[in-house]
Coordinates of all heavy atoms in Angstrom, one line a residue:
N3 N 9.3 -7.3 13.0 CA 9.3 -8.6 12.4 C 8.0 -9.0 11.9 O 7.0 -8.7 12.6 CB 9.9 -9.6 13.4 CG 11.3 -9.3 13.8 OD1 12.1 -8.9 13.1 ND2 11.5 -9.5 15.1
N6 N 5.1 -10.5 14.3 CA 5.2 -10.1 15.6 C 4.8 -8.7 15.8 O 5.1 -7.8 14.9 CB 6.7 -10.2 16.0 CG 7.2 -11.7 16.1 OD1 6.4 -12.6 16.5 ND2 8.4 -11.9 15.6
T8 N 5.0 -5.1 17.4 CA 6.0 -4.2 17.9 C 5.4 -3.1 18.8 O 4.4 -2.5 18.3 CB 6.9 -3.5 16.8 OG1 7.5 -4.7 16.1 CG2 7.9 -2.6 17.4
F14 N 2.9 8.6 28.6 CA 1.9 8.4 29.7 C 1.5 9.8 30.2 O 2.4 10.7 30.4 CB 2.4 7.7 30.8 CG 2.6 6.2 30.4 CD1 3.9 5.7 30.1 CD2 1.5 5.3 30.4 CE1 4.0 4.4 29.7 CE2 1.7 4.0 30.0 CZ 2.9 3.5 29.7
R17 N -4.0 12.8 31.8 CA -5.2 13.3 31.1 C -5.6 12.3 29.9 O -6.5 12.5 29.1 CB -4.9 14.6 30.5 CG -4.6 15.7 31.6 CD -4.0 16.9 30.9 NE -2.7 16.6 30.3 CZ -2.1 17.4 29.4 NH1 -2.6 18.5 29.0 NH2 -1.0 17.0 28.9
N19 N -3.2 9.0 27.4 CA -1.9 8.6 26.8 C -1.9 9.1 25.4 O -2.9 9.2 24.7 CB -1.6 7.2 27.0 CG -1.6 6.7 28.4 OD1 -1.2 7.5 29.4 ND2 -2.0 5.5 28.7
Q28 N 9.9 4.3 13.8 CA 9.0 3.3 14.2 C 8.3 2.6 12.9 O 7.7 1.6 13.0 CB 7.8 3.8 15.0 CG 8.2 4.3 16.4 CD 8.7 5.6 16.5 OE1 8.4 6.5 15.7 NE2 9.6 5.8 17.3
K34 N 2.4 6.6 2.1 CA 1.8 7.1 1.0 C 0.2 7.1 1.1 O -0.5 7.8 0.4 CB 2.1 6.2 -0.2 CG 3.6 6.2 -0.6 CD 4.0 7.5 -1.2 CE 5.5 7.4 -1.6 NZ 5.9 8.4 -2.6
Q56 N 3.0 -3.5 -2.2 CA 2.6 -2.7 -1.0 C 3.1 -3.4 0.3 O 2.9 -4.6 0.5 CB 1.1 -2.5 -0.9 CG 0.6 -1.9 0.3 CD -0.9 -1.7 0.3 OE1 -1.3 -0.9 -0.5 NE2 -1.5 -2.3 1.2
L59 N 1.3 -1.5 7.6 CA 1.5 -1.6 9.0 C 0.1 -1.6 9.6 O -0.8 -0.6 9.1 CB 2.3 -0.3 9.6 CG 2.6 -0.4 11.0 CD1 3.8 -1.4 11.2 CD2 3.2 1.0 11.4
I60 N -0.4 -2.4 10.4 CA -1.7 -2.5 10.9 C -1.7 -2.3 12.4 O -0.9 -2.9 13.1 CB -2.4 -3.9 10.6 CG1 -2.4 -4.1 9.1 CG2 -3.9 -3.9 11.1 CD1 -3.0 -5.4 8.7
I61 N -2.6 -1.4 12.9 CA -2.7 -1.1 14.4 C -4.3 -1.1 14.7 O -5.1 -0.7 13.9 CB -2.3 0.3 14.6 CG1 -0.8 0.4 14.2 CG2 -2.4 0.7 16.1 CD1 -0.2 1.9 14.2
A62 N -4.5 -1.8 15.7 CA -5.9 -1.8 16.3 C -6.1 -0.5 17.1 O -5.6 -0.4 18.3 CB -6.3 -3.0 17.2
S66 N -10.5 -5.1 19.1 CA -9.6 -6.1 18.8 C -10.0 -6.9 17.5 O -11.1 -6.8 17.1 CB -9.4 -7.1 19.9 OG -10.7 -7.7 20.1
K78 N -0.9 -21.4 8.7 CA -1.4 -20.2 9.1 C -0.8 -19.7 10.4 O -0.6 -20.5 11.3 CB -3.0 -20.2 9.3 CG -3.6 -20.6 8.0 CD -5.2 -20.7 8.2 CE -5.9 -21.1 7.0 NZ -5.9 -20.3 5.9
R80 N -1.6 -16.8 13.4 CA -2.6 -15.8 13.9 C -1.9 -14.8 14.8 O -1.1 -15.2 15.8 CB -3.6 -16.5 14.6 CG -4.7 -15.7 15.3 CD -5.8 -16.5 16.0 NE -6.3 -17.4 15.2 CZ -7.5 -17.1 14.5 NH1 -8.1 -16.1 14.6 NH2 -8.0 -18.1 13.7
T131 N 2.5 -19.5 -6.8 CA 3.4 -19.7 -7.9 C 4.6 -18.6 -7.8 O 5.6 -18.7 -8.5 CB 2.8 -19.7 -9.2 OG1 2.3 -18.4 -9.5 CG2 1.7 -20.8 -9.3

Side-chain angles (χ1 to χ4, degrees):
N3 297 319
N6 294 321
T8 298
F14 293 98
R17 301 169 296 162
N19 299 329
Q28 292 83 30
K34 298 285 183 162
Q56 178 179 292
L59 192 70
I60 303 176
I61 301 169
S66 63
K78 296 181 186 296
R80 176 181 304 267
T131 69

